[in-house]
Amino acid sequence: AQSVTQLGSHVSVSEGALVLLRCNYSSSVPPYLFWYVQYPNQGLQLLLKYTSAATLVKGINGFEAEFKKSETSFHLTKPSAHMSDAAEYFCAVTDSSNTGKLIFGQGTTLQVKP
Amino acid sequence: KAGVTQTPRYLIKTRGQQVTLSCSPISGHRSVSWYQQTPGQGLQFLFEYFSETQRNKGNFPGRFSGRQFSNSRSEMNVSTLELGDSALYLCASSSDPGTILNEQFFGPGTRLTVL
């Protein structure tokens, strides 16, 4: 069965500091991996996705993530945090391209301090 | 292009009642998925519809049901509401579930409160 674990339900960084949000997955087949962001009172927005092409994936708003099969990880990073990055972030996995079903992690709330 | 629309945005019901939530996908999208979001359980997949057929179903009791119409609009129904059904219900649409390369676009959700 597939699963996703996000380490740290809350992460706090200073504005301008590195953002690192951790995600580890479990899948018996090569996975497809995603990062979504959710702002208060809004739906989810796709930041980036890994679909077995390049292992370093660049997304919107300066975010990127690296797929590491040996570590079963797909951590999200951003070199310099902005106040507008404060939101909840979700890592998700699916084992099939032929489905709209995603398995989500529990989410990480990112706080950005001035 | 208009985004995914969910109605109503907020809903208050009492235990034992039933509720119907509606989702209008982005024009041209034929796949609609539903998720339940709660603080305790997080985001959980309910079901997915494509061309009026249920393609996938999550691990929810039979009180949760859905359907999709020929215009791709989808509804989900919850009967005999329980307090634990209080949640944000999110709908997502995509143009073709045959390839995960197509992004799923999420609506703003319907906040259901069961009293």
Side-chain angles (χ1 to χ4, degrees), chain A residues 41-83:
Chain A
N41 298 316
Q42 294 187 27
L44 278 70
Q45 180 183 12
L46 180 67
L47 282 175
L48 48 80
K49 58 190 173 190
Y50 167 74
T51 57
S52 75
T55 56
L56 181 62
V57 181
K58 294 187 183 298
I60 62 172
N61 301 339
F63 285 94
E64 64 181 38
E66 186 172 9
F67 173 71
K68 293 186 177 181
K69 184 178 178 180
S70 61
E71 299 177 8
T72 61
S73 68
F74 190 57
H75 302 330
L76 181 71
T77 60
K78 182 174 180 177
S80 176
H82 295 167
M83 296 297 293

Side-chain angles (χ1 to χ4, degrees), chain A residues 32 34 36 38 41-46 49 51 88 90 94 96-106, chain B residues 9-10 33 35 37 40-43 45 48 55-56 88 90 97-104 106-108:
Chain A
Y32 299 96
F34 306 81
Y36 283 86
Q38 186 178 33
N41 298 316
Q42 294 187 27
L44 278 70
Q45 180 183 12
L46 180 67
K49 58 190 173 190
T51 57
E88 190 161 19
F90 294 92
T94 184
S96 170
S97 65
N98 192 29
T99 178
K101 177 181 179 180
L102 295 171
I103 307 299
F104 283 91
Q106 285 294 96
Chain B
R9 290 292 312 277
Y10 301 90
S33 297
Y35 292 84
Q37 185 177 21
Q41 299 299 317
L43 279 154
F45 173 79
E48 175 195 5
R55 291 171 55 93
N56 278 294
L88 181 67
L90 293 166
T99 168
I100 204 66
L101 296 177
N102 288 328
E103 179 178 345
Q104 283 198 64
F106 281 79

Side-chain angles (χ1 to χ4, degrees), chain A residues 38-44, chain B residues 3-13 19-24 34 37 86-91 106-113:
Chain A
Q38 186 178 33
Y39 298 100
N41 298 316
Q42 294 187 27
L44 278 70
Chain B
V4 178
T5 304
Q6 292 188 247
T7 56
R9 290 292 312 277
Y10 301 90
L11 205 50
I12 299 175
K13 292 286 188 179
V19 67
T20 299
L21 311 181
S22 179
C23 172
S24 292
W34 288 89
Q37 185 177 21
S86 295
L88 181 67
Y89 290 88
L90 293 166
C91 157
F106 281 79
T110 293
R111 173 77 61 185
L112 172 65
T113 302

Side-chain angles (χ1 to χ4, degrees), chain B residues 2 5 9 12 21 25-26 28 32 43 49 51 62 64-65 76 78 96 99:
Chain B
T5 304
R9 290 292 312 277
I12 299 175
L21 311 181
I26 291 172
V32 173
L43 279 154
Y49 287 88
S51 292
F64 291 81
S65 63
M76 66 163 285
V78 187
D96 181 356
T99 168

